[in-house]
Amino acid sequence: MSENGSLLAVDNLKTFFPIKKGLFRRTVGHVRAVDDVSFSIPKGKTLGLVGESGCGKTTVGRTVLRLIPATEGRVTFNGENVFSQSAAAMRQLRRHMQLIFQDPYGSLNPRLTVGNIVGEALSVHGIAIGKVRRERVAELLKKVGLSDHHVNRYPHEFSGGQRQRIGIARALALNPSLIICDEPVSALDVSIQSQIVNLLQDLQDELGLTYLFIAHDLAVVEHISDFVAVMYLGKIVEYAAAAELYANPKHPYTQALMSAIPHPDPSRPRTHIPLQGEVPSPINPPSGCPFHPRCSQATDRCKVELPPLEKKTGSPEHIAACWEAK
């Protein structure tokens, strides 16, 4: 997780949501959505952030953008501390940090035309108006595989894949260097998913973009990511280069997720590792290793001691939080 040459560095990030009860709305506990997460992303690369629903992936992305306030930690973007910026400075910084939403239906204003959706940020930031704005919008639509004659249409006139392309065009409008992709293909058909992933890769090659790619589909993440971080119950439990992690997963949780990836050849022998039980509550996480209640390899030590993220055999950048991993 070296920060050398990194565009984005996240250090010991915590995001807790208070639980309030009673007449005086006293805080009686916290939802530990993100609990001591650290990673960095080199310029022009993609970090895949994976895990089951509810593990804190989306909260990480939105906290990085300061859409959700952090409880503790530090986020550094291009050498600047994101959390220390004033409102005016943050407004300028957000031009370089954009978000692609999961839902291609709910994320587009149904009352605005495509031209206004994509061009709104250009007007808000005073970058382009009038003819220049129209030309920039047309250029962005063509870049994502749409036509400039779509500018006067409304979101309901498009398919899910086309709507996601509109969302990508909107994210590109201000020429960002970092884009956080929050499960951008999970709501799409499989055939359309591959088109969107290929589009994102082409745009990265052309524009030198850096991605934080949040997803629960490990097959998609393998295709697009340079590095992968696996989250469980608000913590990163394994991190490695994508090729290394898929070839040699260390953490039992990662191994179970890998075993569930569908394979196109049904006759190929494979071992499925079932995950027992439900994900524990982030309000009252288990002692020791958070995965131990569902882990077939858990020992007594796992129940009382939290394993650190440490290097394992193989790649020097391959780290995992497991007492039993070698």
Side-chain angles (χ1 to χ4, degrees), residues 23-211:
L23 180 63
F24 298 102
R25 308 301 295 164
R26 292 190 177 124
T27 299
V28 296
H30 290 86
V31 177
R32 306 168 73 93
V34 179
D35 194 359
D36 200 18
V37 163
S38 299
F39 61 82
S40 61
I41 313 177
K43 293 180 180 179
K45 300 296 183 180
T46 300
L47 171 67
L49 190 60
V50 303
E52 293 172 286
S53 296
C55 71
K57 308 184 300 294
T58 293
T59 305
V60 168
R62 299 196 176 205
T63 306
V64 165
L65 295 176
R66 227 173 83 175
L67 299 176
I68 296 174
T71 304
E72 290 182 25
R74 177 186 175 96
V75 172
T76 305
F77 172 75
N78 205 18
E80 297 189 52
N81 186 347
V82 173
F83 296 158
S84 67
Q85 303 295 310
S86 66
M90 194 64 210
R91 179 186 176 92
Q92 294 302 313
L93 195 61
R94 282 206 177 100
R95 291 177 54 177
H96 308 287
M97 308 165 68
Q98 292 293 307
L99 176 65
I100 298 172
F101 294 92
Q102 175 180 358
D103 184 2
Y105 295 88
S107 62
L108 302 180
N109 190 331
R111 298 187 178 186
L112 296 182
T113 64
V114 169
N116 287 328
I117 290 171
V118 176
E120 184 176 25
L122 298 172
S123 301
V124 168
H125 287 271
I127 294 174
I129 59 174
K131 181 181 178 181
V132 176
R133 179 179 183 259
R134 291 192 295 271
E135 290 176 348
R136 174 61 176 160
V137 169
E139 175 190 347
L140 288 166
L141 292 178
K142 289 179 180 178
K143 196 178 289 291
V144 299
L146 297 174
S147 172
D148 56 1
H149 72 257
H150 288 137
V151 293
N152 294 319
R153 295 186 182 180
Y154 289 86
H156 73 269
E157 301 179 66
F158 296 89
S159 67
Q162 289 174 318
R163 291 185 190 205
Q164 198 59 292
R165 290 175 186 269
I166 296 168
I168 294 171
R170 176 177 59 186
L172 293 174
L174 298 176
N175 291 317
S177 49
L178 171 70
I179 296 182
I180 294 179
C181 307
D182 185 10
E183 305 220 30
V185 298
S186 64
L188 306 177
D189 293 339
V190 174
S191 59
I192 305 301
Q193 287 182 8
S194 61
Q195 295 178 22
I196 298 299
V197 169
N198 289 337
L199 171 63
L200 290 171
Q201 288 183 305
D202 291 343
L203 291 170
Q204 184 176 46
D205 293 339
E206 178 184 350
L207 304 174
L209 297 170
T210 303
Y211 292 144

